[in-house]
Amino acid sequence: MASMDLLIAALDSAVWELSEAFKDFPDSDVWKRPDPRLLSAGELAAHIAYWEAESLLGGGFESPLVNKAADYYTSHVGQPFELNLGAEAVYAEVKRVHEACKAALVASPHDSEQPCSNRDGWTWGYTLQYQVFHVAYHTGQVYSVRHLLGHETPDN
């Protein structure tokens, strides 16, 4: 398994890429769904923040994005979730959650093969590895939402 430092660095990169997806995103469209069956960019960001906090902190983190309404698509697709936050504020809050998770990992280091206390059957290394994938996957969806709403995206 890769070292925890490398996995944390990879997660930092994934969260940075999310900042690009929110760059120049009109605030009026952050919580707009391109279709009733697709989540808004804001809902996707909340989902990212929710699961990073749940997986790495074990829940209880105070953030408007860390909300049970953002846990699973299938549970909540019929009930849109919206906050009074624009694009910059949404990304700043995801970043704040991420930095709190990272600080907790640094303050209480774990071996990558040690069982993760917040995810049954997962190791800390796999939990971090999955978070990297999870953020990257949903960042791609944010880009798709932008395209479906007719917006240009940064070419990075």
Side-chain angles (χ1 to χ4, degrees), residues 31 41-51 64-67 70 81 90 94:
W31 299 95
E43 288 171 302
L44 290 163
H47 177 75
I48 288 168
Y50 177 86
W51 279 110
L65 297 182
V66 179
N67 186 308
F81 171 61
V90 167
V94 171

Side-chain angles (χ1 to χ4, degrees), residues 45 53 137 148:
Y137 176 84
L148 288 168

Side-chain angles (χ1 to χ4, degrees), residues 5 12 22 25 43 54-55 59 67 82 88 108-109 111 127 136:
D5 289 343
D12 282 341
F22 275 94
F25 197 124
E43 288 171 302
E54 288 292 311
S55 297
N67 186 308
E82 184 173 342
E88 189 175 309
S108 180
D111 181 80
T127 300

Side-chain angles (χ1 to χ4, degrees), residues 61-65 88-98:
F61 186 79
E62 291 293 322
S63 166
L65 297 182
E88 189 175 309
V90 167
Y91 176 72
E93 188 60 17
V94 171
K95 178 80 169 162
R96 186 179 77 83
V97 171
H98 171 66

Side-chain angles (χ1 to χ4, degrees), residues 1 27 32 35-36 41 76 93 102 108-109 125 128 146-147 151:
M1 175 61 72
D27 291 344
K32 186 182 290 184
D35 183 273
H76 303 288
E93 188 60 17
K102 188 165 75 169
S108 180
L128 268 175
R146 287 189 65 161
H147 288 291
H151 301 295

